[in-house]
């Protein structure tokens, strides 16, 4: 793949050309030259786009598709296309398929399905067999097959001894253990945040305690085992405080937050829109403020779209019966770029790579081209026609966002929006 990117502003603090507007010459998938005005002597494909900005490729640590088992929600092929159109060169795929990704052959199947694509997909293996929380899955075999972490998606580890054993066992091969913070016995039959809003509209609430208590337990176990833990999609003020304190104690812990938990509060549920039914639930503005501060000061290590396609048959039902989840890839950059500066947005979209042992490829001469192309200034209302996913269950429809993605260059391929 050969190309000449014209007049692009580089946003990459690890690049020698950070904040400069330059041309970028790519030959055979490698950056060969960066300069103010490069002539296209070889007649390569020229990429000329309005207010073009580029950064190193983005990473999303929590993506769900459907295949295998739920292809009506999303196939791997269309899911990877969606990721590319949304600016993501690397994604971690959750283990919530049918069958569950709990052995090496399932990991290999997914890797093969995603082969030869501009987007690199990394499977997350289930922590326990069939994600039932009883027995550890084949962690080491899945690691060797290409799994980058281990966790039961949206399913908490109810048995603390399972977490203890997993953290101890995974140290033998530098494995990363994920623990979803949700105490079922506290949450009960709740379907949204427990607050004034839940009482006023008559929906059962999930208190912050359900998350906070679970995180406190996990951090005690982590300190005991001296393992390596990632806590996905936190949502409460207390969670931020607990993880901040754990990091001060130098525990090996990281965490993420879903973009919608930074952007929307539980007030939006007054309309009973099931696309707003997510897990963890939307919280209060006080929680949002604490989460945003956690992103800014580095307590929260990464931000995820937590992209979860759900077919209409499981969303267009009564709120209590609707499945949890929203798609989020297509709106991820625009939402984050509305909340933070563009520099900070790019930072949180790329800094999760290190935790998952993914190569960090800066925009420098001699490096492989792993680039996201975007316009950070365009404001727009996010509508259904912007959705590339097969499922259309977006929490962001109707929201005003800032920043459009053009596509990616990665794995010696160009994938731009048509």
């Amino acid at each position: 793949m050969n190309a000449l990117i014209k007049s692009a502003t580089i946003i990459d603090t690890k690049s020698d050309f950070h904040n400069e507007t330059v041309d970028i010459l790519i030959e055979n998938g490698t950056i060969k030259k960066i300069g103010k005005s490069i002539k296209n002597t070889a007649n390569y494909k020229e990429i000329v786009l309005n207010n073009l900005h580029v950064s190193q490729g983005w990473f999303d640590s929590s993506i769900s598709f459907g295949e295998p088992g739920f292809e009506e929600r999303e196939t791997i092929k269309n899911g990877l296309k969606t990721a590319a159109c949304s600016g993501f060169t690397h994604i971690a795929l959750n283990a919530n398929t049918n069958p569950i990704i709990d052995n090496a052959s399932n990991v290999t199947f997914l890797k093969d399905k995603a082969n030869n694509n501009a987007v690199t997909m990394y499977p997350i293996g289930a922590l326990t067999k069939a994600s039932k929380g009883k027995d550890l899955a084949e962690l080491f075999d899945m690691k060797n097959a290409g799994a980058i972490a281990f966790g039961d998606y949206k399913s908490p580890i109810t048995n603390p001894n399972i977490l203890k054993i997993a953290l101890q066992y995974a140290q033998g091969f530098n494995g990363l253990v994920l623990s979803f913070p949700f105490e079922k016995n506290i949450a009960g039959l709740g379907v949204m945040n427990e607050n004034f809003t839940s009482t006023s509209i008559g929906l059962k609430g999930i208190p912050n305690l359900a998350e906070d208590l679970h995180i406190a337990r996990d951090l005690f176990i982590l300190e005991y085992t001296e393992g390596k833990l990632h806590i996905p999609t936190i949502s409460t003020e207390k969670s931020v405080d607990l993880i901040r304190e754990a990091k001060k104690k130098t525990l090996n812990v990281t965490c993420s937050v879903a973009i919608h938990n930074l952007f929307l509060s539980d007030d939006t549920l007054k309309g009973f829109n099931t696309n707003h039914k997510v897990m963890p639930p939307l919280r209060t503005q006080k929680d949002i403020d604490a989460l945003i501060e956690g992103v800014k000061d580095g307590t929260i290590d990464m931000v995820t779209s937590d992209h979860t396609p759900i077919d209409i048959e499981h969303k267009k039902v009564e709120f209590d019966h609707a499945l949890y989840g929203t798609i989020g890839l297509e709106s991820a950059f625009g939402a984050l770029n509305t909340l933070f500066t563009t520099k900070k947005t790019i930072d949180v979209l790329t800094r999760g790579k290190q935790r998952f042992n993914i190569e960090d490829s800066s925009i420098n001469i001699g490096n492989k081209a792993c680039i996201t192309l975007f316009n950070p200034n365009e404001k727009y209302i996010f509508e259904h026609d912007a959705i590339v996913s097969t499922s259309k269950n977006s929490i962001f429809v109707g929201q005003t966002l800032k920043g459009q993605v053009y596509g990616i260059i990665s794995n010696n391929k160009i994938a731009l929006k048509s």
Side-chain angles (χ1 to χ4, degrees):
M1 181 275 295
N2 303 311
L4 178 60
I5 302 174
K6 299 293 291 182
S7 191
T9 302
I10 295 177
I11 307 296
D12 182 359
T13 56
K14 296 180 180 179
S15 170
D16 298 333
F17 301 89
H18 177 55
N19 279 336
E20 294 185 29
T21 302
V22 293
D23 294 351
I24 304 172
L25 179 66
I26 300 171
E27 291 183 344
N28 297 320
T30 300
I31 300 172
K32 290 296 184 182
K33 189 174 181 181
I34 300 176
K36 288 295 183 183
S37 183
I38 300 174
K39 292 184 179 179
N40 192 3
T41 56
N43 197 31
Y44 290 158
K45 174 182 176 66
E46 283 197 14
I47 299 175
V48 182
L49 297 164
N50 181 47
N51 192 33
L52 178 59
H53 287 60
V54 297
S55 73
Q56 60 173 282
W58 304 341
F59 168 62
D60 196 317
S61 61
S62 179
I63 295 293
S64 302
F65 290 147
E67 188 177 5
F70 305 105
E71 286 82 359
E72 71 279 5
R73 298 177 186 177
E74 189 72 278
T75 62
I76 290 173
K77 180 179 179 181
N78 195 67
L80 294 175
K81 175 185 175 182
T82 303
C85 290
S86 305
F88 292 90
T89 55
H90 304 77
I91 62 168
L93 187 72
N94 294 309
N96 58 333
T97 53
N98 186 19
I100 296 288
I101 309 166
D102 63 359
N103 58 60
S105 62
N106 289 339
V107 172
T108 300
F109 168 81
L110 292 172
K111 295 280 287 184
D112 289 346
K113 290 287 289 188
N115 195 28
N116 198 32
N117 196 284
V119 179
T120 305
M121 186 177 79
Y122 302 90
I124 295 174
L127 185 69
T128 62
K129 292 180 180 179
S131 289
K132 291 183 177 180
K134 294 182 178 180
D135 301 296
L136 284 185
E138 301 170 5
L139 306 190
F140 184 66
D141 288 349
M142 287 191 286
K143 170 83 171 181
N144 290 339
I148 58 168
F150 309 97
D152 297 335
Y153 182 68
K154 304 296 185 186
S155 182
I157 304 170
T158 56
N159 182 347
N161 195 48
I162 289 288
L163 179 62
K164 178 180 75 72
I165 293 170
L167 287 168
Q168 291 172 328
Y169 175 63
Q171 289 179 54
F173 52 90
N174 194 31
L176 180 62
V177 173
L178 278 57
S179 178
F180 178 64
F182 186 70
E183 177 49 65
K184 289 183 176 180
N185 291 319
I186 297 290
L189 298 176
V191 293
M192 66 170 290
N193 183 50
E194 182 182 85
N195 187 38
F196 175 80
T197 302
S198 62
T199 302
S200 66
I201 65 177
L203 290 175
K204 293 182 177 67
I206 301 172
N208 286 19
L209 181 63
E211 177 172 308
D212 304 339
L213 189 63
H214 206 278
I215 287 179
R217 184 206 74 170
D218 287 359
L219 292 175
F220 272 114
I221 296 172
L222 177 65
E223 186 172 13
Y224 175 82
T225 60
E226 299 181 345
K228 183 178 178 183
L229 179 68
H230 177 71
I231 302 174
T233 58
I234 67 171
S235 68
T236 73
E237 178 184 21
K238 183 65 175 177
S239 294
V240 179
D241 293 339
L242 287 166
I243 292 168
R244 184 179 287 121
E245 288 303 311
K247 288 188 172 187
K248 287 180 182 177
K249 295 166 68 174
T250 67
L251 297 187
N252 194 348
V253 61
T254 53
C255 67
S256 67
V257 61
I259 296 170
H260 45 265
N261 283 104
L262 297 172
F263 202 91
L264 298 166
S265 75
D266 57 357
D267 282 344
T268 65
L269 290 172
K270 291 176 180 177
F272 295 95
N273 185 340
T274 56
N275 287 339
H276 291 224
K277 185 180 180 182
V278 290
M279 180 57 70
L282 300 177
R283 301 289 189 183
T284 67
Q285 189 60 50
K286 186 180 180 184
D287 292 307
I288 291 173
D289 293 342
L291 292 166
I292 289 175
E293 183 58 33
V295 172
K296 288 180 177 178
D297 69 18
T299 300
I300 297 175
D301 302 87
M302 61 199 81
V303 179
T304 172
S305 68
D306 203 22
H307 181 85
T308 308
I310 302 293
D311 54 281
I312 192 170
E313 286 81 4
H314 291 95
K315 271 295 185 181
K316 201 170 183 180
V317 294
E318 291 181 358
F319 198 93
D320 280 346
H321 301 299
L323 295 184
Y324 291 99
T326 175
I327 57 171
L329 280 169
E330 298 96 324
S331 52
F333 175 67
L336 279 176
N337 197 47
T338 303
L339 296 172
F340 303 104
T341 65
T342 299
K343 180 181 176 181
K344 188 64 176 179
T345 297
I346 301 306
D347 175 42
V348 299
L349 286 172
T350 56
R351 68 188 185 192
K353 294 179 184 178
Q354 183 178 3
R355 185 59 166 175
F356 286 82
N357 292 320
I358 294 171
E359 182 181 3
D360 200 17
S361 185
S362 60
I363 303 178
N364 281 308
I365 297 169
N367 285 354
K368 291 181 180 180
C370 181
I371 298 171
T372 299
L373 301 89
F374 58 95
N375 175 354
N377 297 335
E378 184 178 346
K379 289 187 176 181
Y380 59 100
I381 297 176
F382 186 78
E383 300 290 2
H384 277 100
D385 59 8
I387 297 174
V388 183
S389 303
T390 301
S391 295
K392 309 301 179 185
N393 57 305
S394 173
I395 199 171
F396 283 101
V397 170
Q399 297 294 326
T400 299
L401 307 181
K402 179 186 177 185
Q404 288 276 14
V405 177
Y406 292 123
I408 63 172
I409 297 175
S410 182
N411 291 338
N412 205 16
K413 297 181 184 298
I414 301 173
L416 300 178
K417 285 182 180 178
S418 56

